[in-house]
């Protein structure tokens, strides 16, 4: 081994190369995506066939109960499903993988501003993941307090005994620290390590999304991390921050304070995940329409306004918590205001498509899928924002369907859009288009059926988090929807095997991709695929913006790379 060839551990395990760390996040995120998906299937089976043995997996997982889910296990399932999907699957893939991989390459830097902090960030997440997995195997099992970790259900060892809840909280707190470190790194890199000529108006919109997401992470993650440690103190140190009444060791605890702290983070979390996807949508629509992104500046400003508003609308999650109606009206108005900037960049997307030379490779299909499902999620969000209507649908499957459209469907389709688009850059090979399109259509159709039916049952009053709807007489007329939910979820999960097959076939064939298969313009596509450790042999100089398509006067191609000197003459920014 020479000084120029690092050991395996240094190269692949404790690497400070942002690209390797991005792959570590990707592998971890995909594992938990599959793990959370299996739990979702078990939940849907239980609700459709209460207390019946779970096919295939039941005899292995629930052997002592004859293969069936028990009343004690069901809360653990929906708690861990929600937590794992949000914090250990989607967040690592979106922010950990694509934030790490894209930011240095797209700004023309050789690495992150703080490479060692970057490495440490992943290992905090990894340790948190292990604690969450370990919680399944301790006496009493995993946490069952819901992904919101509401006190006093979570803060009292009387109602949540065992160490599963503690490990769960510690795992979440470590994850929060990991995300905060990543956010600080991303912001610093974007502002301090841009290549010459890369002013803020020349940043790809994906980077603006990652930037605003990092701002929210840096502001709000400390809040929820502090709240989680206070819950842990209530459980093990005898404090009473969030515990009141007979369960509290002393007076003074404020149960609702926890809800304020949690939703102070919980609502921005939606935008933490969706902002990078919005940026991706704007960039990809421009690339595959062969047009500049319509309203670039308006989109950036709209993202900024959404980021600011997202931090002051948390109260609409607590309309039924005894809130003063006047205060509730204030939160209602602020929440509805979010729809104004959202509508601006949504219209910008449509204007970008208008009269474009549209192409429909797999990443474009997933991008259009995001536009469709997000429009449903956004519009149904207005119902949740209205105080009077929210009282009726609160804690029903309508809310579950809405946030799955907004958070799960939009983000999941966005994740696959990212993966299909950036795969040639990351690995030098391109995923099969036919299998990719098949993967898209089955996923898209099944998730739309799944989440639409959830909202329909919610309007009938179907409560969330119940294991056996057949126990409620008023739900009997809509029980026939439960098998539809189970089978649409099963088809959606099965569709992901097409993606896995695509991965295997692509790696086995090892057919080299074209250097710039999407004819994109940004700096990431000016270096080799996959990029060398140092990213660029020579620091690039930027002459124009990221969406210079169909530029008049340029011969031979309909785009100008950002490092092409012709951009100074023909480019628009």
């Amino acid at each position: 081994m020479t000084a120029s060839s690092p050991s395996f551990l240094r190269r692949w395990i404790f690497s400070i190369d942002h690209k390797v760390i991005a792959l570590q996040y990707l592998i971890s995120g995909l594992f938990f995506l599959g793990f959370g998906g299996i739990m979702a299937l078990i939940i849907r089976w239980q609700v459709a066939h209460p207390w019946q043995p779970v096919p295939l997996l039941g005899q292995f997982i629930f052997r002592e109960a004859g293969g069936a889910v028990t009343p004690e296990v069901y809360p653990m399932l929906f708690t861990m499903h929600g937590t794992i999907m949000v914090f250990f699957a989607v967040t690592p893939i979106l922010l950990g993988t694509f934030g790490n991989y894209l930011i240095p390459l797209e700004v023309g830097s050789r690495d992150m501003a703080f490479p060692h902090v970057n490495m440490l960030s992943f290992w905090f997440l990894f340790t948190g993941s292990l604690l969450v997995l370990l919680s399944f195997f301790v006496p009493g099992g995993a946490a069952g307090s819901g992904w919101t970790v509401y006190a006093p259900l979570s803060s009292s060892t009387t109602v949540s005994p065992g160490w599963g809840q503690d490990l769960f909280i510690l795992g979440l707190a470590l994850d929060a620290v990991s995300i905060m470190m990543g956010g600080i790194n991303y912001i610093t890199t974007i502002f301090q390590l841009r290549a010459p000529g890369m002013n803020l108006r020349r940043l790809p919109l994906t980077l603006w999304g990652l930037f605003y997401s990092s701002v929210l992470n840096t502001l709000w993650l400390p809040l929820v991390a502090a709240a989680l440690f206070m819950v842990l103190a209530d459980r093990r140190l005898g404090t009473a921050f969030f515990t009141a009444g007979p369960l509290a060791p002393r007076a003074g605890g404020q149960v609702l304070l926890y809800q304020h702290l949690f939703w102070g983070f919980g609502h921005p979390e939606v935008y933490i995940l969706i902002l990078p996807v919005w940026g991706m949508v704007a960039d990809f629509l421009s690339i595959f329409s062969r047009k500049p992104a319509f309203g670039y500046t308006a989109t950036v400003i709209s993202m900024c306004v959404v980021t600011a508003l997202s931090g002051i609308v948390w109260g609409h999650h607590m309309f039924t918590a005894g809130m003063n109606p006047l205060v509730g009206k204030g939160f209602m108005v602020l929440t509805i205001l979010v729809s104004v900037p959202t509508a601006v960049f949504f219209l910008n997307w449509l204007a970008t498509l208008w009269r474009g030379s549209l192409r429909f490779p797999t990443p474009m299909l997933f991008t259009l899928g995001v536009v469709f499902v997000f429009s449903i999620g956004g519009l149904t969000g207005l119902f949740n924002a209205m105080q009077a209507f929210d009282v009726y649908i609160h804690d029903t499957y309508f809310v579950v369907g809405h946030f799955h459209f907004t958070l799960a469907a939009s983000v999941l389709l966005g994740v696959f859009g990212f993966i299909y688009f950036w795969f040639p850059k990351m690995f030098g090979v391109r995923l099969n288009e036919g299998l990719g399109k098949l993967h898209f259509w089955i996923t898209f159709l099944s998730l739309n059926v799944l989440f639409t039916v959830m909202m329909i049952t919610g309007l009938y009053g179907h409560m969330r988090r119940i294991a056996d709807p057949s126990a409620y007489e008023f739900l009997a007329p809509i029980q026939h929807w439960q098998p539809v939910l189970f089978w649409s979820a099963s088809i959606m999960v099965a569709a992901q095997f097409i993606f896995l097959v695509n991965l295997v076939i692509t790696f086995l064939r090892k057919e080299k991709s074209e250097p710039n298969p999407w004819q994109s313009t940004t700096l990431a596509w000016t270096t080799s695929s996959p990029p060398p450790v140092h990213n660029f042999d020579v620091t690039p100089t930027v002459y124009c913006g990221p969406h210079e398509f169909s530029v008049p006067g340029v011969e031979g191609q309909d785009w100008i790379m950002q490092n092409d000197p012709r951009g100074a003459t023909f480019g628009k920014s």
Side-chain angles (χ1 to χ4, degrees):
M1 187 174 67
T2 65
S4 60
S5 57
S7 66
F8 177 82
L9 282 177
R10 188 66 177 165
R11 179 74 182 89
W12 295 107
I13 307 298
F14 298 107
S15 173
I16 57 171
D17 182 350
H18 69 100
K19 299 180 290 297
V20 175
I21 295 171
L23 294 179
Q24 292 172 332
Y25 274 111
L26 182 62
I27 293 168
S28 170
L30 288 177
F31 168 77
F32 279 105
L33 192 65
F35 195 66
I38 290 171
M39 282 194 285
L41 269 189
I42 297 174
I43 291 169
R44 296 267 55 91
W45 170 265
Q46 164 61 26
V47 178
H49 307 88
W51 320 124
Q52 298 299 309
V54 179
L56 301 177
L57 297 175
Q59 291 301 325
F60 299 100
I61 303 175
F62 312 115
R63 184 176 298 172
E64 293 181 357
V69 174
T70 62
E72 295 77 21
V73 166
Y74 186 74
M76 298 177 195
L77 282 172
F78 66 70
T79 296
M80 302 309 285
H81 163 71
T83 304
I84 283 174
M85 285 304 219
V86 172
F87 296 104
F88 296 97
V90 173
T91 301
I93 294 177
L94 263 183
L95 302 183
T97 301
F98 295 107
N100 259 300
Y101 205 92
L102 297 184
I103 289 175
L105 285 172
E106 293 286 61
V107 300
S109 166
R110 295 196 166 187
D111 207 325
M112 284 288 179
F114 310 114
H116 287 89
V117 173
N118 202 21
M119 177 188 71
L120 200 59
S121 170
F122 172 75
W123 286 105
F124 264 80
L125 170 79
F126 185 80
T127 308
S129 307
L130 288 183
L131 292 178
V132 168
L133 288 177
L134 182 63
S135 72
F136 283 95
F137 302 101
V138 297
S145 58
W147 79 283
T148 52
V149 202
Y150 270 176
L153 183 58
S154 61
S155 60
S156 168
T157 53
T158 303
V159 291
S160 293
W163 288 95
Q165 187 74 50
D166 302 271
L167 293 171
F168 173 76
I169 292 171
L170 278 174
L172 278 180
L174 289 176
D175 183 47
V177 175
S178 162
I179 297 170
M180 276 189 287
M181 287 194 289
I184 293 168
N185 223 344
Y186 294 174
I187 293 170
T188 310
T189 304
I190 290 173
F191 271 98
Q192 296 296 324
L193 299 185
R194 296 195 307 275
M198 178 64 88
N199 59 45
L200 293 178
R201 295 198 70 240
R202 290 175 175 173
L203 285 175
L205 287 164
T206 301
L207 261 59
W208 276 111
L210 288 165
F211 166 74
Y212 287 127
S213 174
S214 301
V215 169
L216 288 174
N217 275 328
T218 308
L219 289 175
W220 297 109
L221 260 299
L223 185 74
V224 75
L228 289 173
F229 279 120
M230 290 163 77
V231 170
L232 199 59
D234 277 7
R235 289 178 59 80
R236 297 300 174 188
L237 300 181
T239 59
F241 293 113
F242 306 127
T243 310
L247 293 173
R250 56 181 55 81
Q254 295 288 330
V255 174
L256 281 182
L257 174 61
Y258 176 81
Q259 293 193 30
H260 282 289
L261 293 176
F262 177 81
W263 288 115
F265 152 80
H267 194 78
E269 171 67 9
V270 175
Y271 299 99
I272 286 169
L273 295 179
I274 200 67
L275 278 164
V277 176
W278 286 348
M280 176 210 81
V281 169
D283 281 334
F284 287 6
L285 290 181
S286 173
I287 293 167
F288 295 116
S289 301
R290 313 311 292 169
K291 282 178 60 184
F294 186 88
Y296 176 97
T297 304
T299 299
V300 173
I301 293 173
S302 298
M303 283 184 178
C304 181
V305 175
V306 168
T307 301
L309 286 175
S310 71
I312 53 175
V313 299
W314 78 91
H316 73 255
H317 293 275
M318 299 170 59
F319 284 151
T320 59
M323 179 180 289
N324 183 309
L326 187 60
V327 177
K329 286 179 181 175
F331 280 116
M332 180 178 73
V333 171
L334 288 171
T335 305
I336 292 174
L337 274 180
V338 177
S339 61
V340 176
T342 307
V344 170
F345 60 72
F346 194 87
L347 291 173
N348 286 344
W349 295 346
L350 298 182
T352 302
L353 288 171
W354 178 251
R355 294 185 174 179
S357 301
L358 299 181
R359 301 173 180 178
F360 297 98
T362 305
M364 179 62 159
L365 293 180
F366 277 101
T367 304
L368 293 174
V370 173
V371 175
F372 182 82
V373 297
F374 177 72
S375 65
I376 297 176
L379 289 173
T380 53
L382 292 174
F383 295 100
N384 294 302
M386 288 186 284
Q387 197 173 10
F389 192 77
D390 182 79
V391 171
Y392 173 70
I393 59 170
H394 189 81
D395 262 347
T396 69
Y397 262 89
F398 183 89
V399 179
V400 179
H402 155 71
F403 77 69
H404 273 82
F405 262 119
T406 309
L407 200 57
S410 300
V411 173
L412 183 69
L413 295 178
V415 161
F416 282 118
F418 268 119
I419 291 176
Y420 278 95
F421 185 88
W422 288 106
F423 204 84
K425 173 54 59 183
M426 298 173 79
F427 301 103
V429 292
R430 181 172 167 178
L431 289 164
N432 181 277
E433 274 290 295
L435 288 174
K437 289 176 179 177
L438 185 64
H439 174 212
F440 165 76
W441 281 111
I442 298 177
T443 301
F444 177 75
L445 294 174
S446 57
L447 68 81
N448 272 285
V449 172
L450 175 62
F451 302 141
T452 301
V453 172
M454 280 184 177
M455 288 197 292
I456 292 172
T457 57
L459 288 174
Y460 276 98
H462 193 315
M463 306 83 76
R464 62 194 294 192
R465 297 178 178 138
I466 58 171
D468 183 4
S470 65
Y472 301 86
E473 189 176 342
F474 77 97
L475 294 179
I478 57 170
Q479 187 62 18
H480 62 278
W481 284 115
Q482 300 301 341
V484 177
L485 287 169
F486 170 71
W487 282 109
S488 54
S490 301
I491 292 170
M492 188 171 80
V493 171
Q496 309 321 306
F497 286 97
I498 299 172
F499 173 68
L500 293 179
V501 170
N502 202 347
L503 283 180
V504 172
I505 290 175
T506 302
F507 281 125
L508 288 178
R509 287 183 176 172
K510 298 180 181 178
E511 293 178 1
K512 285 287 182 186
S513 168
E514 305 160 58
N516 185 2
W518 316 114
Q519 299 174 347
S520 183
T521 63
T522 56
L523 292 182
W525 298 100
T526 64
T527 186
S528 59
S529 302
V533 173
H534 52 278
N535 289 348
F536 303 95
D537 293 332
V538 178
T539 302
T541 298
V542 176
Y543 296 95
C544 59
H547 306 124
E548 300 295 347
F549 298 107
S550 304
V551 181
V554 177
E555 297 181 355
Q557 60 187 41
D558 74 341
W559 75 97
I560 302 178
M561 303 299 292
Q562 282 192 287
N563 67 339
D564 189 333
R566 291 180 298 172
T569 305
F570 297 103
K572 296 177 181 175
S573 60

